[in-house]
Amino acid sequence: MENTITVLSSQEEAAHQAALKIATIINTALMTRPLFRLVLSGGSTPKRLYETLSNGLHLPEISWDRVHFFWGDERAVGPDHPKSNYRMACETLLHPIRVSKHQIHRMRAEADDLKKAASEYEEEIFRHFGSREGGTPPSFDMILLGMGEDGHIASLFPKTDAVAESERWVMANYIPKLDSYRLTLTPVILNQAAWVIFLVTGANKADVLAKTLEGPRKPSQLPAQMISPVRGRLLWFLDRAAAGALKTQISSRPPYVNCPIEKGGIV
Ligand code: 6PG
């Protein structure tokens, strides 16, 4: 199934187009299923996306009461810490749309024992989805991801253990450059998702994005290259600044949609 890159004129437009696509996917899924399981990304890029989703302007109405929220990663801080991905999501999305506590599945990355916290989060995912034959990972309906200037996604930082993990769904991943552990979903479960949507904006991401999408396959150094949904779809929403180093011919009309990404990972 084709995966696509959409390039928009600005960060604002990229957030809005991504929000529109997300709203459409959620509403379509909820026509045939009771719940939608959404994995949120952290960092700063998604803030505008979450604000757009929560204020709902120029978007179809979403039955948020049927959406369950998970996280792709969390820093080793408490839920009230300014750097917490959970806190950012609460401020920009979860509080404004008034979801109830049972819909929120927070990573407890403030725990002293992060390896235990990773196993507990895996258990929470397992309980939520119910048992799976042979322990195959469940399929989240949608996983949102960003990308750091070094190419990391979630807390899968280049050359860290979690990038090449082949069994665990959730890991406490040590990040040498930060001298810190973080909790992160691994490609094992990321690649089971029905939709994986990247939102990457800003000129500071242009070089690493071009290497990721168009360069040689080096997933240890470019973790996004590990993302190749088994049965799902992979969408990239970029602004023109982040797409600035791409050689791929992107159509000349806004939104600039083009260049399917070959199956089996990033071309
Ligand atoms: C985090 C995020 C991380 C993020 C990138 C990009 O915890 O930081 O999950 O993977 O997507 O670091 O962050 P910005 O959007 O702030 O550039």
Side-chain angles (χ1 to χ4, degrees):
M1 194 181 280
E2 191 172 278
N3 302 310
T4 54
I5 298 175
T6 305
V7 178
L8 290 309
S9 54
S10 66
Q11 183 178 2
E12 182 72 24
E13 188 53 20
H16 181 74
Q17 289 293 328
L20 195 53
K21 184 68 178 172
I22 290 165
T24 306
I25 292 169
I26 293 175
N27 286 342
T28 305
L30 290 177
M31 286 176 186
T32 55
R33 289 215 306 292
L35 292 179
F36 191 91
R37 286 88 170 206
L38 172 59
V39 174
L40 297 176
S41 169
S44 56
T45 304
K47 285 180 182 174
R48 192 70 202 98
L49 168 62
Y50 298 163
E51 289 162 350
T52 305
L53 285 168
S54 57
N55 70 36
L57 285 181
H58 312 303
L59 293 180
E61 192 168 338
I62 299 172
S63 306
W64 288 117
D65 59 323
R66 294 165 63 194
V67 179
H68 278 244
F69 298 87
F70 296 78
W71 274 260
D73 72 317
E74 186 57 275
R75 293 90 180 268
V77 294
D80 298 327
H81 192 282
K83 290 190 173 179
S84 161
N85 289 333
Y86 166 80
R87 172 173 164 172
M88 183 275 281
C90 285
E91 291 171 345
T92 55
L93 179 61
L94 304 183
H95 292 165
I97 62 175
R98 303 177 186 281
V99 296
S100 53
K101 282 197 170 52
H102 82 276
Q103 292 172 255
I104 296 174
H105 305 268
R106 182 176 75 83
M107 285 183 163
R108 285 162 172 67
E110 71 277 15
D112 291 335
D113 183 343
L114 278 182
K115 288 189 171 56
K116 181 164 176 277
S119 306
E120 287 170 350
Y121 200 68
E122 205 167 280
E123 273 304 306
E124 176 153 1
I125 293 171
F126 198 92
R127 270 198 314 277
H128 179 78
F129 281 89
S131 63
R132 281 268 175 278
E133 297 71 44
T136 51
S139 172
F140 280 107
D141 296 296
M142 181 185 292
I143 296 180
L144 303 179
L145 291 170
M147 182 182 281
E149 286 187 44
D150 61 358
H152 77 266
I153 61 172
S155 283
L156 303 174
F157 283 73
K159 298 180 184 169
T160 59
D161 295 348
V163 176
E165 174 61 24
S166 58
E167 286 180 16
R168 287 169 286 182
W169 307 349
V170 187
M171 274 180 73
N173 195 30
Y174 179 67
I175 322 291
K177 70 182 278 190
L178 303 176
D179 189 21
S180 161
Y181 279 89
R182 289 188 170 189
L183 288 187
T184 186
L185 297 189
T186 68
V188 173
I189 195 162
L190 295 174
N191 281 328
Q192 295 296 326
W195 294 87
V196 177
I197 298 182
F198 276 95
L199 175 62
V200 183
T201 60
N204 60 329
K205 310 289 177 72
D207 287 347
V208 73
L209 190 68
K211 286 187 186 122
T212 299
L213 292 177
E214 297 177 330
R217 197 166 161 68
K218 297 177 186 168
S220 158
Q221 296 166 45
L222 298 164
Q225 292 184 343
M226 289 296 286
I227 305 305
S228 174
V230 176
R231 283 174 297 281
R233 289 202 60 183
L234 172 58
L235 306 181
W236 295 76
F237 287 90
L238 314 175
D239 66 357
R240 256 207 294 247
L246 289 180
K247 296 182 188 64
T248 310
Q249 288 308 310
I250 307 275
S251 61
S252 57
R253 285 175 294 103
Y256 310 83
V257 182
N258 200 357
C259 47
I261 300 170
E262 273 175 22
K263 203 63 189 147
I266 308 295
V267 292

